[in-house]
Amino acid sequence: MRFLYLVVDDLNADAAEMTRLAERGQALVGSDDVFDVTRIEIGPGYFYESVVGGALVVPGVLHAVSRHGADYDAIILGCATDPGLDAARSITDCAVIGGGEASVVLTALLGRTFGIVTIAESAVPELRAQIRRVGAESRCVGVESIETPFADVDRKYEQARDAVTEQAVSLRDQGADSIVLSCMSFGFTAMAQDVSARIGIPVLDPVRAAVAAGHAQAITGTGVSRKAVPRLENPGFLHDYLGRFSQVSLDSGLTGYAPALPTTAAQSRKDSHA
């Protein structure tokens, strides 16, 4: 399968960071699949998880899905609150996967109950809405935060791992049969495996869950139901609207515009050594 991962939370990520994501993502899926990475072109330069940040990236998500959907089997949204998920699904026949949604759904295969550990308290309301959306509210024992910037999940890995472990133990002791790590940054580390070994129950990260969901759709030959998410019949107005973003100067205090880095992992690696 051909996966495209959309970076939505750091439009200023340099070539080295894009290469890190591409190489770790490719290692995750293996040689039989392709894992490319690109940034959205419209959205905040950088944001922590919040309802405002999530809303601001939706135009960029729609632009990227419209641009790249025909070239990939699945597009993975690079935020575990899944910003713009249904809207993106409405404009393409490519599978659009939300890692947060996929993780919560997969917990049903691991036990009766689950808990969520995320990086910021500001993301908790969105995650609770996500749980309700998939009908899993009665199975969730709680949502906890480690209050850590997403970049520090990798840069300060041991500190982040200890904080995640502490919250995961609390959720386990409250009755969780499994744990969801609800930030995509966790998926580019060994966090899920390390924490699972420490606490003795399954731990899911949203990147691997998204890849699994993409494979599940491919193997079963299914896609999103157009009864649930109707196809946008007249996309011209959307394209006109998105086109305006490249013609206006956005307030740098709130949002920014940045061109996408090359999509392919190979080109990203080349650029990082230029």
Side-chain angles (χ1 to χ4, degrees), residues 160-170 194-195 198-199:
R161 182 193 58 198
D162 291 344
V164 170
T165 299
E166 180 180 358
Q167 297 300 335
V169 166
S170 174
D194 286 352
V195 173
R198 285 181 162 199
I199 69 174

Side-chain angles (χ1 to χ4, degrees), residues 42 50 79 85 93 118 149 155 158 160 170 172 182 190 194 216:
I42 303 164
S50 72
C79 177
L85 179 60
D93 291 324
T118 188
R155 295 173 187 169
E158 292 184 359
S170 174
R172 180 200 63 189
S182 201
D194 286 352

Side-chain angles (χ1 to χ4, degrees), residues 38 112 137 145 163 167-169 185 192 198 205 244 254 270:
T38 194
R112 294 184 177 87
E137 191 172 16
S145 168
Q167 297 300 335
V169 166
S185 296
R198 285 181 162 199
D205 78 64
R244 298 175 192 170
L254 290 175
K270 177 181 176 182

